Amino acid sequence: MPVSVLSVASEAVPLVKTGGLADVAGALPSAVAGHGIEMTTLLPGYPAVGKAMGKGKLVHKWDSLLGEPARLLAGKIGKHKLLVLDCPTLFAREGGPYGDVKGKDWADNWRRFAAFGRAAADIASGAVKGRKFDLVHAHDWQAAMTLAYLRFASTQPELPAVMTIHNMAFQGYYDAGVFPRLGLPQEAWSLDGVESYGGVGFLKAGMQMADVITTVSPTYAREIRQKDFGMGLEGLVSSRGDRVRGILNGIDEAVWDPGEDPDIAASYTRRTLGKRSANKRAVEKEFGLERGDGPIFTVISRLTWQKGMDVLLEVLDHLAGIGGRLALLGSGDAGIEAELHEAAARHPGRIGIRIGYDEALSHQLQAGADAILVPSRFEPCGLTQLYGLAYGCVPVVARTGGLADTVIDANPASLAAGVATGIQFDGVHYHALCAAIDRANALYYQPKQWRTLQQNGMKADFSWAASGRAYAELYRELTGKTA
Ligand code: ADP
């Protein structure tokens, strides 16, 4: 029996993306389709979404969605069903999904995403004629209030619900003063409801009410039971016991295939790795690096504390000192950007940086650099190390979250067994990262070992097939609908 799922997300490729959440929400409908799951994705009507979907078909109207007139438009995202919440006062704004053109969060984000949740709950409860759902799947705090409205403000029987956490660092926590304006009954103001540390916790509410909480790797699912990772919600995570599960993200192999990638200088496969060198030359040129045989490290990342970019800054002199080169693509923290410019000026030809977001260049870097550094302090899943594996760009990663689950450290045992795929290190600090870079450097000069690392990574299967099956099984478990 098919299962009809409403996936509620604030971003999804190819329409709108700020991070890994968009990759997952965009890939999920296809990943589960083969398992008899029919997924409809609900997105807010940002200008980019409206433009991409064209006119859309009007399927529902609200006179007052938290006080705002709104419409629901139906269209397609790829081959799959899309619903867009067209509410111009809340979503038709210049800037990003969550903030203005300067990156400052909108002051009324609580209201924007409460309204989004309210609409999702109405849709899930059957407000739209001809559309019935068996289960609702909410992603991150922006979609989490869906579950609160389903529990406290719907007259329909509650649907089974999955809450996926893509990053515990973003919780949608607001002052208690917003509660009366959410349109929820007083009983929702409780520990079993939306109340959290004296305020309103959007993600907390979703986690409280979901039948199952998933996060994007098994290790992160365990880590968020601890204080450093749970960020205040570790007690709630622990109390939900085996209702908290980890399902690894996959990668879109149609987009990330070095054998057929229009964005790279030369295509190659596991068997034709030699052709990869043309990509290395392209990276040297693009980043103004001196030509050489030594390793090129890359970083493709948000420039933030979470990603360990402050520690990366500390090791740049060491990296250049041992003959390494770095090609970095990223944007984020202004202070980190400024220090990167300084490091590049100190090491001309050795450190090249590009500040900004450039999807095509990120492909060229994965194809041309020798190793990708991912020194994250926490990493729910991480995608760049997976792209690195697929492209023979050996990942050098902190042993945390999805990084721990996807990279096999090149220790003597795994090297002897011929299964290593990269390098892991413990603790994101100067000495640990320097030592990891040194290990990578030493392995690089053992060409046979290095090629085996590359080829093992390229062989590894991180497609959506396994993850899609895991989500489909979860939906069936919760709806009781068998295949
Ligand atoms: P997060 O979602 O925490 O930022 P992930 O590793 O899960 O981290 O996903 C980041 C995604 O954004 C990857 O697809 C990565 O390639 C991409 N990305 C990050 N920074 C840039 C950039 N400056 N230019 C192009 N792509 C980038």
Side-chain angles (χ1 to χ4, degrees):
M1 240 190 297
V3 181
S4 178
V5 174
L6 180 67
S7 170
V8 187
S10 57
E11 46 185 284
V13 292
L15 303 183
V16 51
K17 167 170 170 173
T18 70
L21 156 66
D23 290 314
V24 179
L28 210 46
S30 295
V32 295
H35 303 280
I37 310 293
E38 195 184 279
M39 184 168 275
T40 300
T41 305
L42 174 68
L43 285 175
Y46 314 116
V49 171
K51 216 163 160 197
M53 109 154 166
K55 213 159 155 270
K57 182 171 165 235
L58 178 65
V59 291
H60 190 69
K61 265 185 175 177
W62 288 266
D63 293 334
S64 169
L65 188 65
L66 263 64
E68 305 296 339
R71 305 185 310 156
L72 187 68
L73 304 174
K76 289 262 167 173
I77 182 167
K79 294 196 294 274
H80 304 283
K81 291 183 182 167
L82 172 70
L83 292 172
V84 172
L85 179 61
D86 177 38
C87 182
T89 44
L90 296 181
F91 298 118
R93 299 178 184 180
E94 288 303 314
Y98 317 121
D100 62 19
V101 275
K102 289 194 179 129
K104 189 169 176 290
D105 278 357
W106 304 113
D108 61 348
N109 270 346
W110 66 270
R111 198 156 162 269
R112 300 171 78 224
F113 293 104
F116 185 52
R118 169 83 246 197
D122 288 352
I123 298 161
S125 308
V128 184
K129 243 174 68 197
R131 287 168 199 260
K132 278 185 79 76
F133 296 96
D134 301 308
L135 180 142
V136 61
H137 186 165
H139 298 271
D140 275 352
W141 72 267
Q142 295 92 336
M145 288 298 279
T146 307
L147 277 54
Y149 287 109
L150 274 175
R151 165 92 31 111
F152 292 106
S154 166
T155 52
Q156 302 301 312
E158 211 172 316
L159 284 185
V162 175
M163 176 81 237
T164 293
I165 303 167
H166 297 265
N167 192 337
M168 198 70 160
F170 305 106
Q171 299 186 354
Y173 180 79
Y174 297 103
D175 191 80
V178 312
F179 179 73
R181 302 165 69 188
L182 292 173
L184 285 166
Q186 193 56 37
E187 59 172 322
W189 182 255
S190 74
L191 253 190
D192 293 333
V194 303
E195 195 271 333
S196 179
Y197 291 100
V200 177
F202 279 30
L203 182 64
K204 180 262 171 183
M207 290 168 63
Q208 188 84 47
M209 284 164 238
D211 292 285
V212 165
I213 298 166
T214 70
T215 184
V216 287
S217 70
T219 293
Y220 193 61
R222 283 193 299 278
E223 286 173 339
I224 56 175
R225 289 162 198 267
Q226 304 159 28
K227 193 161 161 280
D228 283 353
F229 296 91
M231 310 205 166
L233 296 181
E234 58 278 2
L236 173 55
V237 175
S238 295
S239 75
R240 303 277 348 239
D242 68 357
R243 304 267 95 189
V244 182
R245 306 187 191 164
I247 300 177
L248 264 182
N249 289 339
I251 64 174
D252 187 342
E253 291 177 312
V255 178
W256 291 95
D257 173 4
E260 278 179 49
D261 187 333
D263 293 323
I264 66 179
S267 300
Y268 60 96
T269 65
R270 204 163 80 224
R271 291 188 184 81
T272 59
L273 260 182
K275 292 193 191 164
R276 211 174 172 276
S277 55
N279 292 307
K280 188 161 176 173
R281 302 284 91 87
V283 167
E284 284 168 345
K285 216 163 142 212
E286 189 71 42
F287 282 80
L289 299 178
E290 61 199 32
R291 217 179 141 145
D293 294 328
I296 295 182
F297 294 89
T298 187
V299 169
I300 304 161
S301 182
R302 291 188 284 122
L303 303 176
T304 63
W305 181 87
Q306 177 202 332
K307 301 289 182 182
M309 290 295 113
D310 50 327
V311 179
L312 177 83
L313 287 170
E314 291 173 18
V315 306
L316 290 182
D317 292 341
H318 177 81
L319 186 150
I322 60 166
R325 288 165 293 162
L326 174 78
L328 174 143
L329 169 64
S331 64
D333 188 298
I336 295 175
E337 290 182 5
E339 286 197 53
L340 281 168
H341 281 297
E342 278 171 30
R346 272 202 311 281
H347 300 287
R350 299 237 142 236
I351 295 181
I353 60 169
R354 181 71 58 84
I355 301 299
Y357 191 96
D358 188 333
E359 196 81 28
L361 189 55
S362 76
H363 285 241
Q364 183 60 74
L365 280 167
Q366 295 280 14
D370 297 291
I372 180 160
L373 300 174
V374 194
S376 305
R377 286 191 167 84
F378 62 93
E379 193 59 79
C381 177
L383 291 171
T384 58
Q385 86 281 12
L386 299 181
Y387 302 146
L389 289 169
Y391 276 61
C393 183
V394 174
V396 179
V397 304
R399 199 189 312 269
T400 187
L403 302 174
D405 291 337
T406 54
V407 175
I408 302 174
D409 182 51
N411 58 40
S414 66
L415 282 173
V419 296
T421 60
I423 286 168
Q424 294 191 332
F425 60 93
D426 289 299
V428 178
H429 51 75
Y430 174 80
H431 293 292
L433 185 52
C434 283
I437 289 169
D438 290 348
R439 280 174 66 204
N441 193 47
L443 274 167
Y444 177 82
Y445 286 106
Q446 300 172 51
K448 241 180 105 193
Q449 291 275 33
W450 190 259
R451 192 164 318 113
T452 307
L453 280 185
Q454 290 178 299
Q455 288 175 328
N456 286 345
M458 294 177 81
K459 252 191 293 191
D461 180 6
F462 288 108
S463 67
W464 268 100
S467 322
R469 192 176 328 110
Y471 279 111
E473 278 167 11
L474 176 62
Y475 301 151
R476 291 200 180 279
E477 173 192 330
L478 294 179
T479 57
K481 282 193 163 182
T482 48

